[in-house]
Amino acid sequence: MASSTPQRVTIHPIVLLGAIDHYNRVAKDTNKRVVGILLGTNEKGHVDVLNSYAVPFEEDEKDPSVWYLDHLYHENMYRMSHRVNAKEKVVGWYSTGPRIRKNDLAINEVVRRYTANPVLVIIDAKLSAQGIPTKSYTSHEEVSEVDSKPQMTFQHIPSDIGALESEEVGVEHLLRNVKDSTLSSVARGVQQRQLAVQELRTKLDEIESYLKGVSSGELPMNHTITRLLQDIFNLLPNLNVDEMVQAFAAKGNDAMLAVYLSSIIRAVTSLHDLIDNKLMLKARETADKAADATEVERELQNDKEVAEIEGKAKAEPNTKERK
């Protein structure tokens, strides 16, 4: 089946839920991973992953070259899925990694029998890192700089999470009890920036480990990667300039002042509401006490009137006997 070279991957929530369920049923609390097939469409390099299903998979942890993928089970599952929705084709496969392994290229060649350009989506089932829990790759042939022989390797491609309107309704329903409604917009913004900084730290650690591997000779030199890293370093601002330092300090102080004032205003507003509640409760208690006192006085007055009437009623027969 012909398909264009994948340039971007969009993964739908049902795929993530299926992969997480597959992992929890088969490999939870173990070092094993699970593998499945991705179904969807590939239009002009944009791979839209709409559905997936699990495939029996086993591998030897000591010898990565020993593995088993039940392709007969996959063919039966795809045949049944094709009867339900003929538009969904095989676009690749997923793995719970959590990273690329040595036998992934061999598995990718098996999946290539069913689609010309399969994508590999590694799903972080344990949520060990912040951000999008997916990483997408496609295989391509490149010439080795060591022996000048062509070899297959994985290339990272951008991926994101997308949903149809019906899927958005279901996801919002699932997340209704997960989101903390007590968080303010400021706290939510700070949390998002914290997650972004953590993701940046993860990427910097990956760059550091790669450069150390190249300098020690463990990894081959890739001129494309080094050129891109040099472009990144060239875009960094010169922090040795006093004007730049003062500008960063002023902007940081302004942001912290806004946060500080917001905290003070929130505290004053909370105290004001507390005092209003105290005064309202005290006024209500005073009114209740006054109502109770009025009710008691009314009952005493009624008892007094009843006693007077009974006294008059007893006095009248005595008066008649005397007469």
Side-chain angles (χ1 to χ4, degrees):
M1 181 180 61
S3 61
S4 56
T5 303
Q7 301 294 332
R8 187 175 187 84
V9 179
T10 298
I11 305 165
H12 287 247
I14 189 66
V15 178
L16 297 177
L17 293 176
I20 297 300
D21 178 70
H22 184 197
Y23 176 81
N24 290 333
R25 287 186 290 104
V26 177
K28 187 177 182 181
D29 299 329
T30 65
N31 293 326
K32 296 182 179 180
R33 61 169 175 167
V34 295
V35 170
I37 298 298
L38 301 176
L39 302 177
T41 60
N42 184 354
E43 297 181 359
K44 298 180 180 179
H46 182 201
V47 179
D48 198 16
V49 183
L50 301 171
N51 205 346
S52 66
Y53 54 82
V55 175
F57 175 77
E58 293 291 339
E59 63 181 342
D60 190 348
E61 296 182 0
K62 296 181 180 179
D63 187 1
S65 62
V66 179
W67 55 274
Y68 167 73
L69 179 69
D70 195 345
H71 60 89
L72 296 178
Y73 177 88
H74 151 62
E75 291 174 359
N76 292 331
M77 286 293 295
Y78 178 70
R79 190 179 301 111
M80 291 186 290
S81 176
H82 188 70
R83 293 176 182 176
V84 178
N85 192 342
K87 294 182 179 179
E88 295 180 356
K89 308 293 184 181
V90 176
V91 294
W93 59 291
Y94 72 82
S95 167
T96 56
R99 61 184 63 87
I100 295 177
R101 301 194 182 185
K102 294 182 179 179
N103 54 6
D104 285 346
L105 281 173
I107 300 173
N108 196 72
E109 291 303 316
V110 174
V111 181
R112 193 183 295 275
R113 301 176 187 173
Y114 308 98
T115 179
N117 297 300
V119 295
L120 166 60
V121 177
I122 295 181
I123 300 175
D124 186 6
K126 297 181 181 180
L127 296 177
S128 57
Q130 299 291 341
I132 298 177
T134 60
K135 293 182 180 180
S136 301
Y137 301 89
T138 182
S139 62
H140 72 288
E141 190 177 64
E142 68 176 16
V143 178
S144 175
E145 297 182 357
V146 179
D147 51 9
S148 300
K149 293 182 179 180
Q151 60 182 4
M152 298 298 295
T153 183
F154 283 111
Q155 180 182 4
H156 180 267
I157 56 176
S159 63
D160 55 11
I161 307 298
L164 302 175
E165 185 176 356
S166 57
E167 292 176 327
E168 291 179 355
V169 174
V171 172
E172 290 178 0
H173 180 72
L174 290 174
L175 296 179
R176 185 175 300 172
N177 297 327
V178 178
K179 292 182 178 180
D180 190 358
S181 59
T182 60
L183 289 177
S184 63
S185 59
V186 177
R188 193 172 291 108
V190 171
Q191 186 178 18
Q192 292 175 355
R193 284 167 175 78
Q194 182 181 4
L195 296 177
V197 171
Q198 291 177 355
E199 184 68 17
L200 177 61
R201 178 62 183 271
T202 302
K203 299 299 183 184
L204 292 177
D205 291 340
E206 292 179 359
I207 293 174
E208 182 184 6
S209 62
Y210 170 76
L211 293 178
K212 287 183 177 179
V214 172
S215 61
S216 62
E218 297 178 359
L219 297 176
M221 170 69 74
N222 190 317
H223 295 288
T224 303
I225 296 178
T226 54
R227 185 175 65 254
L228 293 175
L229 290 177
Q230 186 61 50
D231 293 339
I232 294 174
F233 297 148
N234 292 336
L235 293 174
L236 294 176
N238 186 8
L239 298 180
N240 296 324
V241 180
D242 294 336
E243 295 179 355
M244 180 68 68
V245 175
Q246 293 177 0
F248 272 108
K251 190 170 183 62
N253 292 335
D254 293 342
M256 295 304 297
L257 178 62
V259 174
Y260 178 68
L261 292 177
S262 301
S263 301
I264 292 178
I265 293 172
R266 189 182 297 109
V268 171
T269 304
S270 300
L271 290 174
H272 185 269
D273 294 338
L274 179 61
I275 294 172
D276 283 346
N277 292 334
K278 288 279 188 180
L279 294 176
M280 188 181 301
L281 181 60
K282 187 174 182 180
R284 187 176 300 172
E285 290 177 352
T286 303
D288 293 341
K289 289 180 180 179
D292 293 341
T294 304
E295 185 67 22
V296 170
E297 291 178 358
R298 188 177 301 166
E299 291 178 356
L300 292 175
Q301 185 67 25
N302 293 335
D303 293 341
K304 186 176 181 181
E305 292 177 356
V306 170
E308 291 178 355
I309 293 173
E310 290 179 351
K312 290 181 180 180
K314 291 180 180 180
E316 288 180 356
N318 295 333
T319 305
K320 292 178 180 181
E321 290 178 357
R322 290 175 183 176
K323 288 181 178 181

